[in-house]
Amino acid sequence: MSILVNSETKVLVQGITGKAGGFHARHCLDYGTQIIAGVTPGRGGETFENKVPVYDTVREAVEKHGANASVIFVPAPFAADSILECVDAGLELVICITEGIPVHDMMIVKSIIQQAGGRTRLIGPNCPGIITPGRGKDSSGGCKIGIMPGYIHKAGRVGVVSRSGTLTYEAVWQLTTLGIGQSTCIGIGGDPIHGLSHKDCIALFNEDPDTDAILMIGEIGGTAEEEAAEYVKANVKKPVAAFIAGRTAPPGRRMGHAGAIISGGKGTAAEKVKAMQSAGIAIAETPAVMGETVRELLG
Amino acid sequence: MCSVSGMNIHEYQARDLLAEHGVPVPRGSVASTPEDAERIASELGAPELVIKAQIHAGGRGKGMFKHGFAGGVHVHQTPKQTRELAAKMLGQTLVTHQTGESGRLVSRVLITEAKAIAKELYLAVTLDRATARPVVIASTEGGMNIEEVAEKFPAKIVRLPVDPLVGLQPYQARNLARALRIPSKMLGEASGLIIGVYRTFIQCSCTLVEINPMAITTDGRVMALDAKINFDDNALFRHEKIVAMRDLAEEDPAEVEASKYNLNYIKLNGNIACMVNGAGLAMATMDIIKFYGGEPANFLDVGGSATQENVTAAFKIILSDKKVKGILVNIFGGIMKCDIIANGILAAVRQIQLSVPLVVRLEGTNSKEGRKIIQESGLNVISADGLADAAQKIVKAVQS
């Protein structure tokens, strides 16, 4: 009933003894996520919230607890190293929340992930994370790995993939308010070089028997939305809706996200919308009707 | 071609950085007085000289100074002329097609030996987002805008993706030089230049190093005659020396002020300001203002914490733009609770005695409590339900 994560996922938190890591680890625990270990070099042997053991290395946490996913709250200068530590330990899924990682560091990370055979899937960096809503109160009982508020979600059958944080919350909340639940929601992050792409996530949703429709939230910069549109055109029979942020963004300026920039006339919202329309994707004309656009597709 | 942009530096600084990394450049130096300019010209002892106004904008050659002097780039012969030209440029404002009407104040000029050019080429190293690798881009059509070349003569552009784990190899640089039809006796200098540019890109954490033109001179040299370098802002913590090159006079004062509060602010041309948490939602908010017939005055992401201090600073920055006739605040409270944000907004409004219409839309955690606080404040703040309602209300408020 989901992709990538579910209530069985065993999660370790890198940077669990830090302010942000600790705060969000607590919220994930409250949601019902299986946070089984924390990692902070030099703090091995401590216990987080009297229940989560802390280790010095990812390798130890994986060996002792069989963790299969990690979420990273490590400060930007050290975050690339934390991702590589997960790749080396053979983790299947790494979610990097950290914002502000140097783009050259991410080039190296991407190359090493590929060289290692692509066994590790990376979500982010600079992203809200991933959530598979559960059926308990405020959608608890599922798996929330990230910084998104859990209660805005509702278990259901629409897959959501987005480059943004709060704009994703906006979309999810519109769906939930309309009574439309989500199978899994993924924030892939706003950096120019990142892990899973729109296309990768759409391919996973396409194969998921419990996802009926897909909502993609893109923005200016790069060509990820165009590549996703091509993929949808060739492979996806499920209904897909999309919103692209940045129709009014001026060229040559970085709109908050490091990856959100129109350069050399490329990466405009108009180009992306055109590619999507030609792939039969339903476009939400304004951010106020993202949920409504999905509802119309579901009929 | 460049896919991310960051901090900019002046041409003379880019030239020094490139030279440090082994890229051949014409001899020269920077001056901030006509006397220095003359001295530099004399020391160069070259038969022909170039003087270039130093601003962070292209199109300098065809630019016009506000006091009527034409051109920010001049080829001339004598140090005395250098002094006269410097006197006409320094302290004056240069307007080019990239500066906007206000132009930029010229505080420095670069003086170099002039090189007789046999052929102009183009060379750049940038980041290819699609492959997540550095890519070297080169063309036999130098001196032109590369986007234009890509459009008109795509076959004249060579692209060489580089494995970042291995780096650019000398044989690859030689192949590239040959693809640019550089004569074999100049191959050594040309491939050295290409490797130097790549090394600059990597060692200075650049998002773009562009050499345009890269010139073959009539005396058989290969050199970088003009350069543009962009840095990855996220990597500046590793490069104290580059941070010291930042020229705040070249940046928008409101944007500089915003960066002190970790606010992401970009000034635009409309009259409806917005303040939003999150970059994607901020862009979407601008879009919906436009959709309902308004014009956004700015992009502003207050980030995750939106404290009273941040919000107050954000209001002040927004209002420093005198075109602003109304403000839309759009917050989706997640971990951050809307009632706390509402109190922060009201405190800021009281402190700065806001005089333009303000529409506030709060959604998410404790949004009902937040809206109630706004409605019962007794202040002239319009509360909105949903994004469409908020956009329509602010568009209407600035029209009336």
Side-chain angles (χ1 to χ4, degrees):
Chain A
M1 55 166 279
S2 61
I3 65 167
L4 297 167
V5 300
N6 57 38
S7 55
E8 305 297 310
T9 307
K10 293 192 171 72
V11 183
L12 68 87
V13 178
Q14 282 168 275
I16 198 166
T17 55
K19 195 175 160 214
F23 179 84
H24 291 292
R26 264 192 298 281
H27 279 273
C28 293
L29 278 168
D30 291 346
Y31 190 81
T33 307
Q34 289 197 52
I35 304 284
I36 48 90
V39 173
T40 301
R43 302 281 291 268
E46 293 183 17
T47 308
F48 175 76
E49 298 273 288
N50 293 319
K51 53 186 158 194
V52 181
V54 178
Y55 296 91
D56 288 307
T57 65
V58 169
R59 190 168 280 208
E60 289 170 282
V62 171
E63 277 166 8
K64 298 228 168 72
H65 299 276
N68 46 19
S70 177
V71 59
I72 296 174
F73 290 97
V74 171
F78 319 109
D81 179 57
S82 297
I83 301 173
L84 292 177
E85 189 178 358
C86 294
V87 177
D88 180 64
L91 279 173
E92 291 158 24
L93 185 65
V94 180
I95 298 112
C96 185
I97 308 297
T98 307
E99 181 180 352
I101 301 179
V103 69
H104 283 243
D105 290 9
M106 285 310 301
M107 281 196 306
I108 302 289
V109 166
K110 279 281 270 197
S111 284
I112 291 179
I113 289 177
Q114 280 163 10
Q115 212 172 55
R119 173 185 160 85
T120 303
R121 283 176 164 139
L122 173 67
I123 295 176
N126 187 13
C127 78
I130 178 169
I131 182 168
T132 290
R135 302 202 173 268
K137 182 177 182 289
D138 290 339
S139 96
S140 65
C143 181
K144 165 177 130 80
I145 311 178
I147 60 175
M148 65 292 275
Y151 79 92
I152 61 171
H153 301 82
K154 172 186 162 74
R157 304 181 63 86
V158 173
V160 178
V161 55
S162 170
R163 276 166 72 182
S164 170
T166 47
L167 182 59
T168 316
Y169 308 164
E170 176 79 42
V172 166
W173 184 240
Q174 286 176 19
L175 289 171
T176 297
T177 308
L178 291 169
I180 302 168
Q182 305 93 41
S183 51
T184 300
C185 305
I186 311 169
I188 57 174
D191 278 2
I193 295 185
H194 54 87
L196 291 187
S197 65
H198 275 307
K199 186 184 98 178
D200 297 332
C201 296
I202 287 172
L204 291 169
F205 282 130
N206 195 37
E207 285 156 24
D208 175 30
D210 295 308
T211 296
D212 294 340
I214 302 161
L215 171 61
M216 161 167 55
I217 299 156
E219 62 191 31
I220 55 159
T223 53
E225 288 81 5
E226 286 90 330
E227 284 151 29
E230 247 170 68
Y231 181 84
V232 168
K233 200 172 186 173
N235 302 291
V236 181
K237 297 278 177 285
K238 295 177 185 181
V240 182
F243 173 74
I244 302 292
R247 289 187 191 211
T248 49
R253 300 303 308 271
R254 204 168 76 162
M255 306 303 282
H257 288 155
I261 181 166
I262 300 166
S263 58
K266 296 287 169 198
T268 63
E271 278 178 315
K272 292 175 189 293
V273 167
K274 200 175 141 203
M276 294 193 167
Q277 281 170 332
S278 83
I281 296 172
I283 300 291
E285 281 299 320
T286 79
V289 297
M290 293 184 287
E292 199 60 50
T293 308
V294 173
R295 181 162 77 172
E296 280 166 20
L297 283 181
L298 292 172
Chain B
M1 288 280 166
C2 129
S3 48
V4 264
S5 95
M7 195 191 107
N8 284 319
I9 55 173
H10 286 290
E11 179 196 3
Y12 75 91
Q13 296 166 323
R15 185 180 166 281
D16 291 349
L17 268 186
L18 288 165
E20 276 172 37
H21 291 89
V23 176
V25 296
R27 294 179 302 124
S29 192
V30 71
S32 48
T33 64
E35 294 71 32
D36 269 356
E38 182 176 10
R39 182 186 48 78
I40 290 164
S42 305
E43 285 168 11
L44 284 172
E48 209 162 42
L49 297 150
V50 189
I51 183 166
K52 291 172 156 183
Q54 298 294 292
I55 56 170
H56 285 190
R60 291 170 299 172
K62 290 180 185 144
M64 178 65 104
F65 284 89
K66 281 196 168 169
H67 64 308
F69 182 63
V73 178
H74 288 270
V75 177
H76 56 285
Q77 282 74 37
T78 67
K80 187 166 168 276
Q81 287 171 317
T82 308
R83 183 193 181 112
E84 287 161 9
L85 288 162
K88 285 178 183 150
M89 293 179 169
L90 287 165
Q92 299 299 331
T93 303
L94 179 60
V95 179
T96 80
H97 71 274
Q98 284 188 6
T99 60
E101 283 169 26
S102 55
R104 299 275 172 82
L105 181 69
V106 176
S107 305
R108 292 174 205 86
V109 288
L110 173 66
I111 300 104
T112 67
E113 56 178 342
K115 284 285 181 183
I117 298 167
K119 172 85 184 139
E120 291 191 336
L121 311 166
Y122 174 95
L123 176 73
V125 181
T126 186
L127 185 74
D128 183 39
R129 288 170 70 151
T131 58
R133 290 177 168 214
V135 59
V136 185
I137 299 167
S139 166
T140 50
E141 305 307 302
M144 290 168 69
N145 177 335
I146 189 71
E147 277 89 27
E148 215 175 297
V149 178
E151 188 122 315
K152 289 183 187 155
F153 320 101
K156 293 198 169 176
I157 291 183
V158 188
R159 290 173 61 91
L160 173 67
V162 180
D163 182 341
L165 301 180
V166 181
L168 183 70
Q169 299 301 302
Y171 78 86
Q172 293 176 304
R174 292 194 299 274
N175 282 345
L176 191 69
R178 287 302 294 147
L180 293 173
R181 296 196 295 277
I182 288 172
S184 49
K185 64 178 193 299
M186 297 178 203
L187 201 62
E189 186 164 56
S191 56
L193 186 153
I194 295 166
I195 285 173
V197 170
Y198 182 81
R199 198 183 291 141
T200 310
F201 177 83
I202 295 295
Q203 292 188 354
C204 301
S205 302
C206 299
T207 54
L208 172 75
V209 181
E210 184 183 66
I211 311 297
N212 194 19
M214 160 179 167
I216 299 176
T217 64
T218 51
D219 58 354
R221 305 264 333 256
V222 185
M223 297 188 136
L225 292 197
D226 197 357
K228 182 181 175 191
I229 300 184
N230 288 340
F231 302 96
D232 174 15
D233 290 344
N234 288 343
L236 289 177
F237 70 90
R238 288 183 183 145
H239 302 283
E240 265 177 52
K241 209 179 99 184
I242 292 166
V243 173
M245 293 181 183
R246 187 171 173 189
D247 184 352
L248 293 180
E250 290 283 340
E251 297 178 28
D252 185 291
E255 292 177 16
V256 173
E257 180 69 13
S259 67
K260 288 183 197 160
Y261 293 90
N262 282 325
L263 301 168
N264 234 312
Y265 171 83
I266 294 171
K267 193 169 172 238
L268 304 170
N269 293 321
N271 59 6
I272 298 178
C274 38
M275 185 192 306
V276 187
N277 67 329
L281 191 59
M283 275 187 272
T285 305
M286 285 160 43
D287 295 350
I288 200 166
I289 289 171
K290 176 90 174 177
F291 182 84
Y292 284 110
E295 281 292 337
N298 66 275
F299 167 92
L300 197 159
D301 173 9
V302 288
S305 53
T307 59
Q308 185 185 325
E309 193 202 359
N310 273 6
V311 172
T312 307
F315 273 125
K316 284 183 183 163
I317 288 159
I318 281 175
L319 292 168
S320 70
D321 177 356
K322 296 302 166 207
K323 279 195 295 226
V324 168
K325 296 279 178 287
I327 302 173
L328 171 57
V329 173
N330 180 21
I331 302 286
F332 197 103
I335 303 301
M336 179 166 79
K337 295 184 176 69
C338 288
D339 48 340
I340 294 170
I341 294 161
N343 282 320
I345 291 169
L346 294 178
V349 167
R350 287 193 185 97
Q351 194 188 327
I352 60 170
Q353 301 180 325
L354 190 70
S355 57
V356 297
L358 170 66
V359 173
V360 177
R361 183 266 179 155
L362 297 170
E363 193 52 86
T365 311
N366 293 359
S367 59
K368 274 186 202 142
E369 291 83 343
R371 276 178 229 152
K372 198 163 166 237
I373 290 167
I374 299 277
Q375 278 155 4
E376 292 173 358
S377 68
L379 291 171
N380 185 20
V381 181
I382 307 161
S383 181
D385 259 329
L387 265 175
D389 183 48
Q392 284 166 310
K393 277 181 173 156
I394 192 63
V395 170
K396 193 167 163 234
V398 300
Q399 279 166 352
S400 56

